[in-house]
Amino acid sequence: MTSIGQIFERTVRKFETREQLDSADRQAIYDLPYELHTVEANRYIVREGDRPTRSTLIVDGLAFRQKVTVDGARQILSVHIPGDFVDLEGSLLRYADHNVQALTRCQVALVPRDAIVELIRSRGKVAHAMWIDTLIDGSIYREWIVNVGRRDARAAMCHLLCEFARRLEASGMGSSGGYELPMSQEQLGDALGITPVHVNRILRELDREGLIEREKRFVRVPNWEKLRKVGGFNENYLHLDQVIPRPLSAARA
Amino acid sequence: MTSIGQIFERTVRKFETREQLDSADRQAIYDLPYELHTVEANRYIVREGDRPTRSTLIVDGLAFRQKVTVDGARQILSVHIPGDFVDLEGSLLRYADHNVQALTRCQVALVPRDAIVELIRSRGKVAHAMWIDTLIDGSIYREWIVNVGRRDARAAMCHLLCEFARRLEASGMGSSGGYELPMSQEQLGDALGITPVHVNRILRELDREGLIEREKRFVRVPNWEKLRKVGGFNENYLHLDQVIPRPLSAARA
DNA sequence: CGTTAGGTTGACTTGATTCAACAACAGTGG
DNA sequence: CCACTGTTGTTGAATCAAGTCAACCTAACG
């Protein structure tokens, strides 16, 4: 689906919405050494405690972060799409504090840690773009806390569906009308902090109410505004329009 | 408590555990322009939607991040201690996606956004240290998601108490034996995603079981190991020992 | 010394879990 | 090509953790 020549294409495109890169910056990214691998669905990409020597870039497919409590309950923390580095932390922190798993079969590019560290050191603007990425990830985590902490299952599910819709749409992988959501009901439960049985009931309820229409794992959203409202979804936290303000000048949006 | 000359002391000390700074780096931080202010408990430091022109550094006191859902429920997202910049996002993202409030009366230093941006641009290592800070914040958010999503109220409360204990201890503001936790039971509830009534019952239960001893808002931990176990607390995610690995060489811990 | 915020407690309700059974479906191997 | 097996989805009944409502208590404070 994604040819070799375009491995870093999505990443560069994303970074360019975050910081004005020059051609040397772009080239430095394109020049990153990497090794392509295929990871089957559900296989681990990073394990808690790992001290990885390579960072993983998702080229194709979806992946998710998760953590397991001492008594075995799993909590999904975020979902990632092509163009995302899923363990930059591995290059910058000592060890991984959580797991990363492939949601679907993934094509990933493994980039040596040293190359990432050198890129960061030598290309300030690229580093800046990556940093902004981690800030936005942080913002998404915060909203996720609100979702599991303060919304009931129905609202939380709608919110989650809205988030996926907007993020997939923004990256050209679906429309506001509908999209493929390749998660099992158990995984949805792990994302929302509820049981799969309850996920099932909520989904059917939303279906019955006409808030969504399902066909296998394809979700159609007949009335975006209604779904948005039930989920209390406000997309600001995704910072989809994020562009770095020009330094030292009062840039206007 | 903190004299003018030491405004950036804690911040520098923190950054030095994250990256090898040279004297020019340190000086650049000390030279940051700022304005000192006092913020009363519960007053807002940043409001969602703000486009702040200054970043706020906590010099003394505690602050917390929070978000309010459409139907008025508040979720506390994190608690911050002296030395933390509580709205770096304000300098790097377009607008604030959440609120920051003073937990206790705070002394804060307001640093102009442009000065922060310039510091980041000119002092790569300082920027790096700050970035690592945002990565660690991200890690704490992830654990917080697990806490509200997958732990019952009792375990979540113990986990929260453990987190505070370790963080306060690490910054010299309390010992593992006990510490001042200046949060109302309502605020604790907002942090855990439960009602203040339930917080009360859980705290009394923990008290009765001998897991904690309370005196006003001072919490004593007679048996750390027991509390740790009930909370399923593993401090790795705090990255308290974080030191940046030497670039391009196989540094050993 | 009244006012207010925070803490405590009981009775009742509810959203979500648990347990258990079964249906639909995909993949596998005989 | 079909039986076997495992995963995912569906449903009902019973139970439980947490929420709601409401009252009252206490300490701090102007």
Side-chain angles (χ1 to χ4, degrees):
Chain A
M1 192 185 193
T2 306
S3 81
I4 299 281
Q6 314 176 307
I7 295 295
F8 296 107
E9 197 52 49
R10 280 176 181 278
T11 308
V12 168
R13 224 183 309 144
K14 182 173 70 168
F15 286 175
E16 287 200 297
T17 67
R18 312 235 147 115
E19 171 68 296
Q20 197 91 35
L21 302 184
D22 59 40
S23 61
D25 292 323
R26 276 189 294 272
Q27 201 53 51
I29 298 174
Y30 288 130
D31 288 347
L32 281 173
Y34 66 88
E35 211 174 88
L36 266 189
H37 282 269
T38 300
V39 182
E40 294 303 317
N42 294 314
R43 298 299 281 275
Y44 278 73
I45 294 174
V46 182
R47 267 176 199 280
E48 192 170 343
D50 275 2
R51 221 180 248 260
T53 56
R54 302 191 284 188
S55 269
T56 308
L57 171 72
I58 303 180
V59 176
D60 195 47
L62 299 177
F64 63 96
R65 298 177 192 276
Q66 53 98 329
K67 242 175 152 162
V68 177
T69 66
V70 277
D71 34 61
R74 179 174 72 168
Q75 174 70 47
I76 292 182
L77 305 162
S78 63
V79 174
H80 291 274
I81 62 180
D84 290 353
F85 273 98
V86 290
D87 68 341
L88 253 192
E89 297 88 358
S91 294
L92 296 168
L93 298 180
R94 258 170 194 282
Y95 39 71
D97 51 66
H98 62 284
N99 307 294
V100 182
Q101 257 182 298
L103 181 55
T104 62
R105 173 189 299 210
C106 282
Q107 212 182 4
V108 299
L110 300 179
V111 182
R113 208 203 64 190
D114 289 351
I116 297 280
V117 171
E118 175 57 20
L119 177 70
I120 288 167
R121 207 198 47 71
S122 62
R123 296 275 121 208
K125 284 192 283 187
V126 174
H128 202 161
M130 289 176 138
W131 184 1
I132 292 196
D133 236 40
T134 65
L135 284 171
I136 294 175
D137 282 350
S139 173
I140 296 176
Y141 291 138
R142 286 190 289 266
E143 187 65 36
W144 208 287
I145 294 172
V146 176
N147 213 35
V148 294
R150 283 299 188 200
R151 280 192 262 265
D152 64 20
R154 197 175 96 107
M157 177 66 78
C158 290
H159 192 279
L160 190 73
L161 293 175
C162 284
E163 175 174 324
F164 286 147
R166 286 298 289 122
R167 287 179 61 198
L168 291 174
E169 188 182 15
S171 72
M173 300 176 73
S175 77
S176 47
Y179 57 92
E180 181 69 24
L181 208 203
M183 294 177 80
S184 68
Q185 295 184 356
E186 177 161 29
Q187 289 168 331
L188 285 170
D190 287 345
L192 299 174
I194 62 179
T195 58
V197 175
H198 200 46
V199 168
N200 185 279
R201 296 198 237 261
I202 296 289
L203 282 178
R204 322 217 86 234
E205 182 185 319
L206 295 179
D207 207 329
R208 215 174 333 104
E209 292 178 67
L211 277 164
I212 59 171
E213 286 159 20
R214 298 175 301 155
E215 200 168 324
K216 302 250 178 189
R217 290 179 181 175
F218 189 91
V219 180
R220 224 181 305 285
V221 181
N223 189 338
W224 172 255
E225 198 40 45
K226 223 162 130 193
L227 188 71
R228 207 193 56 67
K229 194 147 185 206
V230 175
F233 178 77
N234 172 331
E235 75 180 50
N236 285 351
Y237 76 96
L238 293 173
H239 295 276
L240 291 173
D241 58 349
Q242 172 64 28
V243 179
I244 184 71
R246 232 65 69 251
L248 301 174
S249 74
R252 254 300 296 156
Chain B
M1 190 185 196
T2 306
S3 81
I4 298 282
Q6 313 175 307
I7 294 295
F8 296 107
E9 198 51 49
R10 279 176 181 278
T11 308
V12 168
R13 224 182 310 141
K14 182 173 70 168
F15 286 174
E16 286 199 296
T17 67
R18 312 236 148 117
E19 172 67 296
Q20 197 91 35
L21 302 184
D22 58 41
S23 62
D25 292 323
R26 277 189 293 274
Q27 201 52 53
I29 298 174
Y30 288 131
D31 288 348
L32 281 173
Y34 65 87
E35 212 173 90
L36 266 189
H37 281 268
T38 299
V39 181
E40 294 303 318
N42 293 314
R43 298 297 283 274
Y44 278 74
I45 295 173
V46 181
R47 268 178 198 278
E48 193 172 341
D50 275 2
R51 218 180 251 258
T53 56
R54 302 191 283 189
S55 269
T56 308
L57 170 72
I58 303 180
V59 176
D60 194 48
L62 299 176
F64 63 96
R65 299 177 192 275
Q66 53 98 329
K67 243 175 151 163
V68 177
T69 65
V70 277
D71 35 61
R74 179 173 74 167
Q75 175 68 48
I76 292 181
L77 306 162
S78 64
V79 173
H80 292 273
I81 63 182
D84 290 353
F85 274 99
V86 289
D87 68 340
L88 254 192
E89 296 88 358
S91 293
L92 296 169
L93 299 179
R94 259 172 195 282
Y95 39 72
D97 51 66
H98 62 284
N99 307 293
V100 182
Q101 258 180 297
L103 180 56
T104 62
R105 175 189 297 209
C106 282
Q107 211 182 4
V108 299
L110 300 179
V111 181
R113 207 202 65 190
D114 288 351
I116 297 280
V117 171
E118 176 56 20
L119 177 71
I120 289 167
R121 206 196 49 70
S122 61
R123 295 276 121 209
K125 284 192 282 186
V126 174
H128 202 163
M130 288 175 140
W131 184 1
I132 292 195
D133 235 41
T134 65
L135 284 170
I136 294 175
D137 283 349
S139 174
I140 296 175
Y141 291 138
R142 286 190 290 266
E143 187 65 37
W144 208 287
I145 293 173
V146 176
N147 214 33
V148 294
R150 284 299 187 200
R151 280 193 261 265
D152 64 20
R154 198 175 94 107
M157 178 66 78
C158 290
H159 192 280
L160 190 74
L161 293 175
C162 285
E163 175 174 325
F164 287 145
R166 286 299 288 122
R167 288 178 62 198
L168 291 174
E169 188 182 13
S171 71
M173 301 176 74
S175 78
S176 48
Y179 56 92
E180 181 70 25
L181 209 204
M183 293 176 81
S184 68
Q185 294 185 356
E186 177 161 27
Q187 288 168 332
L188 285 170
D190 287 344
L192 299 174
I194 61 179
T195 58
V197 174
H198 200 47
V199 168
N200 185 280
R201 297 200 238 259
I202 296 290
L203 283 177
R204 321 216 89 234
E205 183 185 318
L206 295 178
D207 207 330
R208 215 173 334 105
E209 291 178 67
L211 276 164
I212 57 172
E213 287 159 18
R214 298 175 301 153
E215 200 169 324
K216 302 251 179 186
R217 290 180 181 173
F218 189 91
V219 181
R220 224 179 307 283
V221 181
N223 188 337
W224 172 255
E225 199 40 45
K226 222 162 132 192
L227 189 70
R228 207 192 56 69
K229 194 147 183 206
V230 175
F233 179 78
N234 172 332
E235 74 182 50
N236 285 350
Y237 75 96
L238 293 174
H239 295 275
L240 291 172
D241 58 349
Q242 172 63 29
V243 179
I244 184 72
R246 233 66 69 252
L248 300 174
S249 77
R252 252 302 295 156

